[in-house]
Amino acid sequence: MIFERPDLAPHGLEGAIPAGAYDLRPVRPSDTGLIALFTGDLRVAQATSSIPHPLPPGTTEAFIARVMAPGSIEQAWTIDGTRAGMGEVMGVISLTELDIGQCEIGYWVAPVFWNAGVASSAVGALIAANPLACRTIFATVQQGNPASARVLTNCGFTYLGDAESYCLARGGTVPTWTYSRKLD
């Protein structure tokens, strides 16, 4: 359920998607410091394809401006644990429109919250809410990250095959697994 009326959103989280004990709320400029702190961690950067390491100045601000821009093909939500007495920024999850009805999901969780079900709650909630009306959602994870692969399979994704992608933090290509989930 997406809260479209601010007066109905829990704890004033306009546009929030409940995710178990957490909320997925639209990324906002005040998240810059914590997002930069966590994405500046080599472990987080190396588990993604798009986060460079070291994190150049302005990278986080540019990301937030991009996903907040009207008409952006990428929408991002902060995994907010305030309701559970956890951090205001535990990670970020996003959907990028690829084609009509097709999206790609991406997510990262700060290492301090790893192995606590945060990613599974976030992915499951975003799929259930389906805010971009996706018919098919794709995902790619590095083969060295079986925990993210388990998140996807536990959330109903089907393995499609092996591939490779360029990882900015590693400065080269890495082997990946590709998944999809049909929602129609």
Side-chain angles (χ1 to χ4, degrees):
M1 172 178 198
I2 298 176
F3 295 96
E4 296 176 9
R5 290 184 44 202
D7 58 317
L8 297 180
H11 310 287
L13 298 176
E14 182 180 350
I17 299 168
Y22 319 114
D23 292 296
L24 307 181
R25 61 165 173 77
V27 171
R28 57 186 180 215
S30 62
D31 295 329
T32 301
L34 287 172
I35 290 175
L37 174 70
F38 295 138
T39 58
D41 186 311
L42 181 62
R43 296 169 294 176
V44 172
Q46 286 185 337
T48 72
S49 62
S50 61
I51 300 173
H53 188 81
L55 193 66
T59 302
T60 305
E61 292 87 347
F63 164 75
I64 291 172
R66 184 179 75 241
V67 300
M68 289 183 67
S72 176
I73 64 166
E74 182 179 16
Q75 302 296 308
W77 296 264
T78 297
I79 304 169
D80 186 321
T82 304
R83 220 171 11 100
M86 306 295 283
E88 185 176 351
V89 176
M90 300 171 69
V92 170
I93 187 166
S94 66
L95 284 173
T96 302
E97 294 177 89
L98 302 174
D99 200 352
I100 297 171
Q102 296 182 340
C103 298
E104 181 174 22
I105 193 168
Y107 53 91
W108 60 263
V109 173
V112 69
F113 303 112
W114 284 357
N115 301 313
V118 174
S120 293
S121 292
V123 170
L126 194 57
I127 289 169
N130 197 8
L132 300 184
C134 307
R135 290 190 320 268
T136 304
I137 299 178
F138 296 94
T140 301
V141 298
Q142 294 178 11
Q143 290 183 14
N145 189 354
S148 279
R150 277 191 303 279
V151 166
L152 294 173
T153 57
N154 289 342
C155 288
F157 282 77
T158 302
Y159 170 76
L160 295 177
D162 293 2
E164 60 181 29
S165 67
Y166 189 82
C167 174
L168 288 173
R170 295 177 188 271
T173 58
V174 294
T176 60
W177 294 309
T178 304
Y179 295 85
S180 72
R181 173 148 180 206
K182 294 196 180 292
L183 300 177
D184 55 2

